[in-house]
């Protein structure tokens, strides 16, 4: 209830770790299953590694990921299903999972709009200098000149997304209302009717888009060839004073190149909610770098999104345990290869 919510301590930096075991009857007429719930997931002594050799199914959120590396997959000899409660299964080594015959599935579509809304919020908050201005207000100040010294209208600014899939396209649709010229790049062209409706400019590559726009948004999945593709060289292609937004995956960018570009003023702001590793250590430089609008990984896990991916997780479990096929759009890896949405969104090593 409201009273309980008011009492919760949102600002706590300590994240308690827990492990519990509950018995779980899937269908009363069939076998009982044991469900182990834990947040103790990192390192060889973790509860996750201890229970992994016995696990048939691992369910992980992308927000607090149970990294299923090649080594761990080798130890997980009974594992049949790696289920992502959300979207983005890059915490699983997909190549190793395919070779081990493990099915990987995620809840396609469950939080695309949640993330798109977050990106719009970050565009507005960076460009209008919202977070520093809010801090001035919270600190009792009225320094309007300081608030607006870096504050602009978004109208007329050029916005470009690298990746215009489920999230990227939703962001473009929402930003259309702000009268911003819109750009995109990806390997396949969008339908011309969509390009016309939104007045989109297509760029053949990321460099061309980075050179042209004021705000770059990253919205491509992480797989081996996209890792660190937004490096110092790519950032140097961006206009001086432009903004970079990344709610896709932290390893798409070079961590220190972002910090250096903010310090030198080449970038005017960086906002996102994705880090590596997750949880990020307290000393992670993105927590304290100048002009950052970072949050913990939360955009895709609003309560609205949780209701959707919980329902999808249940559906996949019921299919899997009931020996019926998992919906094609939920599949990332199946029968030793990329399948369903995995075939469209990912590449193996
Ligand atoms: P989609 O697969 O729908 O879209 C990704 C787009 O990226 C595709 O349109 C694809 O087009 C394009 N793309 C892929 N590879 C490249 C490339 N090498 N160069 C240029 N474009 C490329 O994914 P979503 O929009 O649903 O999600 C994107 C990512 O966002 C997820 O993979 C996940 O990592 C992250 N995410 C983050 C969340 C959060 O809470 N922060 C929640 C949900 C997702 P084409 O094939 O034509 O290149």
């Amino acid at each position: 209830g409201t009273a309980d919510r008011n009492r919760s301590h949102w600002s706590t930096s300590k994240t308690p770790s827990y492990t519990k075991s509950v018995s779980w009857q899937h269908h009363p007429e069939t076998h009982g299953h044991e469900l182990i719930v834990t947040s103790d997931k990192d390192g060889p002594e973790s509860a996750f590694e201890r229970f992994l050799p016995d696990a048939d199914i691992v369910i992980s959120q992308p927000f607090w990921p149970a990294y299923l590396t090649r080594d761990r997959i080798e130890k997980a000899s009974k594992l049949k299903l790696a289920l992502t409660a959300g979207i983005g299964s890059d915490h699983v080594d997909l190549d190793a999972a395919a070779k081990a015959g493990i099915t990987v599935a995620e809840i396609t579509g469950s939080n695309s709009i949640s993330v798109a809304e977050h990106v719009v919020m970050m565009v507005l908050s960076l460009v209008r200098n919202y977070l520093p201005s809010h801090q001035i207000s919270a600190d009792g100040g009225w320094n309007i000149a300081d608030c607006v010294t870096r504050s602009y209208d978004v109208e007329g600014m050029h916005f470009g997304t690298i990746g215009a899939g489920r999230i990227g396209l939703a962001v473009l649709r929402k930003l259309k209302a702000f009268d911003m010229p819109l750009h995109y790049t990806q390997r396949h062209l969008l339908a011309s009717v969509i390009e016309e409706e939104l007045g989109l400019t297509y760029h053949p590559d990321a460099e061309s888009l980075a050179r042209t726009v004021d705000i770059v948004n990253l919205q491509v999945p992480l797989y081996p060839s996209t890792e660190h593709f937004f490096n110092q060289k790519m950032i140097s292609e961006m206009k001086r004073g432009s903004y970079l937004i990344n709610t896709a995956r932290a390893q798409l960018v070079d961590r220190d190149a972002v910090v250096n570009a903010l310090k030198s003023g080449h970038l005017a702001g960086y906002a996102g909610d994705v880090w590596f590793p997750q949880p990020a250590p307290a000393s992670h430089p993105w927590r304290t770098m100048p002009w950052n609008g970072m949050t913990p990984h939360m955009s895709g896990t609003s309560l609205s999104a949780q209701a959707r991916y919980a329902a999808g997780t249940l559906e996949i479990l019921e299919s899997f345990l009931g020996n019926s096929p998992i919906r094609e759009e939920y599949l990332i890896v199946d029968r030793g290869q990329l399948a369903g949405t995995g075939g469209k969104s990912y590449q193996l090593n």
Side-chain angles (χ1 to χ4, degrees):
T2 314
D4 285 342
R5 271 207 300 279
N6 288 344
R7 272 200 293 275
S8 68
H9 298 285
W10 289 10
S11 60
T12 180
S13 59
K14 296 241 161 60
T15 37
S17 127
Y18 61 89
T19 303
K20 75 176 175 182
S21 165
V22 287
S23 78
W24 170 42
Q25 283 298 124
H26 170 59
H27 290 306
E29 69 279 14
T30 57
H31 314 288
H33 302 281
E34 190 184 13
L35 176 67
I36 311 281
V37 183
T38 185
S39 66
D40 178 21
K41 66 179 184 69
D42 294 314
E45 304 305 320
S46 61
F48 181 49
E49 288 228 0
R50 274 187 283 119
F51 287 109
L52 194 54
D54 290 328
D56 298 293
I57 301 172
V58 168
I59 304 172
S60 173
Q61 296 191 3
F63 317 102
W64 189 296
Y67 295 103
L68 270 174
T69 57
R70 187 171 291 273
D71 279 357
R72 282 178 161 177
I73 285 173
E74 272 169 24
K75 287 178 196 154
S77 52
K78 293 189 185 161
L79 189 61
K80 296 172 196 68
L81 175 64
L83 177 42
T84 305
I87 295 179
S89 297
D90 48 273
H91 58 281
V92 180
D93 185 320
L94 297 180
D95 186 54
K99 291 194 171 108
I102 295 166
T103 296
V104 182
E106 64 182 40
I107 323 301
T108 303
S110 59
N111 57 18
S112 313
I113 294 304
S114 322
V115 180
E117 289 183 2
H118 203 85
V119 173
V120 172
M121 177 175 79
M122 288 177 170
V123 169
L124 290 169
S125 68
L126 287 184
V127 174
R128 302 203 54 93
N129 205 33
Y130 168 59
L131 292 170
S133 305
H134 173 69
Q135 197 57 49
I136 286 172
S137 151
D139 292 344
W142 200 260
N143 326 24
I144 292 170
D146 292 336
C147 291
V148 302
T149 186
R150 297 169 66 93
S151 179
Y152 300 89
D153 294 349
V154 296
E155 184 180 274
M157 281 199 175
H158 286 252
F159 174 91
T161 187
I162 300 179
R166 290 161 299 189
I167 301 172
L169 180 56
V171 170
L172 291 170
R173 286 194 187 288
K174 290 177 191 303
L175 288 180
K176 172 78 177 150
F178 288 92
D179 292 326
M180 305 173 77
L182 301 172
H183 304 248
Y184 79 103
T185 184
Q186 59 179 7
R187 293 161 301 184
H188 306 90
L189 285 170
L190 290 169
S192 52
V193 53
I194 297 177
E195 287 193 335
E196 278 161 30
E197 177 197 338
L198 300 176
L200 300 179
T201 303
Y202 175 75
H203 294 261
D205 53 47
E207 286 86 351
S208 160
L209 180 137
R211 280 196 285 269
T212 311
V213 303
D214 304 293
I215 306 160
V216 171
N217 176 54
L218 295 180
Q219 217 73 69
V220 298
L222 175 67
Y223 51 83
S225 66
T226 58
E227 187 166 355
H228 295 149
F229 92 105
F230 226 83
N231 53 19
Q232 196 269 331
K233 186 176 171 307
M234 189 71 88
I235 291 174
S236 72
E237 299 284 350
M238 293 173 68
K239 290 188 196 171
R240 186 172 171 83
S242 54
Y243 305 88
L244 182 56
I245 294 175
N246 178 11
T247 56
R249 284 297 179 261
Q251 302 99 303
L252 295 171
V253 302
D254 178 321
R255 185 192 75 173
D256 295 336
V258 168
V259 177
N260 294 337
L262 287 166
K263 285 185 177 161
S264 74
H266 188 73
L267 281 182
Y270 180 94
D273 69 331
V274 284
W275 308 69
F276 186 78
Q278 293 190 158
S283 60
H284 195 295
W286 289 3
R287 290 186 186 270
T288 50
M289 63 190 178
W291 314 117
N292 86 77
M294 294 301 295
T295 64
H297 193 170
M298 48 86 67
S299 65
T301 187
S302 61
L303 295 178
S304 326
Q306 286 187 33
R308 292 187 293 264
Y309 69 67
T313 301
L314 180 62
E315 181 191 323
I316 291 174
L317 284 175
E318 284 177 342
S319 303
F320 190 78
L321 296 172
N323 286 324
S324 52
I326 294 171
R327 230 200 276 191
E328 181 78 8
E329 72 197 70
Y330 290 159
L331 289 174
I332 303 298
V333 167
D334 195 35
R335 295 166 204 267
Q337 55 188 356
L338 292 174
T341 293
K344 297 185 193 121
S345 297
Y346 293 93
Q347 281 171 12
L348 297 182
N349 295 342

